[in-house]
Amino acid sequence: MTDAGSLVLLRTSDVEKYRQVFLDVHVEVRTQFGLMDSPFNAVDRFDERLTRYASREGWEAVIAFNGDEPAGYIFGGPLAPGSLWWSSMRQPPPDDFTRETGSRTFAVQEVLVREGYRGTAGAGASRTLHEHLLSERDEERATLLVDPSRSDGRLKAVYESWGYRDIGEQQPFDDSPVFATMLRDPLHQ
């Protein structure tokens, strides 16, 4: 565990021990943004994705706590050879760009922070969690997906302030939003 101001950061790959924390924060935050009505965000669907993500080699999470109270979390993992991450891109990038080795690209799959811990202009617990997770990663670059229609584009702008750039659109699930695909290259900035 690491102390980041008033937050204690726990790095873990034990999804079972912290599953309820992930689920509770997911429901709270997505409810605040009016997103729980979407089948894509339903608890059981999120839990299925969490289980699938956590089963992959190299998956890990960082959970921020303020005392015993979770403030938020981030999780992700490296893209394995043959990963389908890039397959739903609307304008597919060149093959050499999508070639994955298991150590080339780290996919940030989820970042959620409870309301009282959110900062402004890219600061706050989200950035703390993000940088802490990436700080011990050896991949060359990082990718994440963001719904650009949410928050009038402010969330996408936050990721851009963290060193990500928009490289195109994708819709990885039939009922998911069309996401902006973001890339941070190099990983450490």
Side-chain angles (χ1 to χ4, degrees), residues 26 40-41 45-54 173:
H26 167 82
F40 179 73
N41 288 313
R45 287 282 305 281
F46 171 72
D47 195 27
E48 288 170 10
R49 287 192 303 273
L50 174 63
T51 298
R52 192 169 47 252
Y53 293 147
F173 303 96

Side-chain angles (χ1 to χ4, degrees), residues 28-171:
E28 180 181 329
V29 172
R30 294 268 173 3
T31 298
Q32 288 172 339
F33 288 102
L35 300 174
M36 287 306 294
D37 292 339
S38 164
F40 179 73
N41 288 313
V43 176
D44 59 333
R45 287 282 305 281
F46 171 72
D47 195 27
E48 288 170 10
R49 287 192 303 273
L50 174 63
T51 298
R52 192 169 47 252
Y53 293 147
S55 71
R56 297 175 183 159
E57 188 171 333
W59 180 91
E60 68 178 337
V62 175
I63 306 169
F65 288 94
N66 184 2
D68 292 333
E69 178 180 275
Y73 63 79
I74 185 172
F75 61 73
L79 298 180
S83 171
L84 298 177
W85 181 270
W86 309 109
S87 65
S88 59
M89 294 286 292
R90 294 216 164 155
Q91 295 179 337
D95 287 344
D96 62 324
F97 182 86
T98 63
R99 180 189 43 79
E100 295 301 338
T101 63
S103 61
R104 184 177 190 200
T105 309
F106 184 82
V108 175
Q109 296 153 335
E110 189 83 20
V111 183
L112 282 182
V113 173
R114 296 174 68 213
E115 187 172 25
Y117 300 96
R118 292 183 205 132
T120 57
S126 295
R127 182 150 197 183
T128 300
L129 284 163
H130 179 267
E131 296 307 319
H132 188 74
L133 178 62
L134 295 187
S135 70
E136 295 182 22
R137 301 301 310 187
D138 293 327
E139 289 82 10
E140 298 170 26
R141 60 191 188 174
T143 186
L144 57 80
L145 304 178
V146 61
D147 182 348
S149 69
R150 296 284 170 206
S151 70
D152 297 322
R154 289 188 309 273
L155 183 56
K156 184 174 179 262
V158 165
Y159 293 136
E160 289 169 340
S161 77
W162 296 356
Y164 286 88
R165 62 185 168 89
D166 187 336
I167 60 167
E169 296 179 334
Q170 65 171 291
Q171 187 176 14

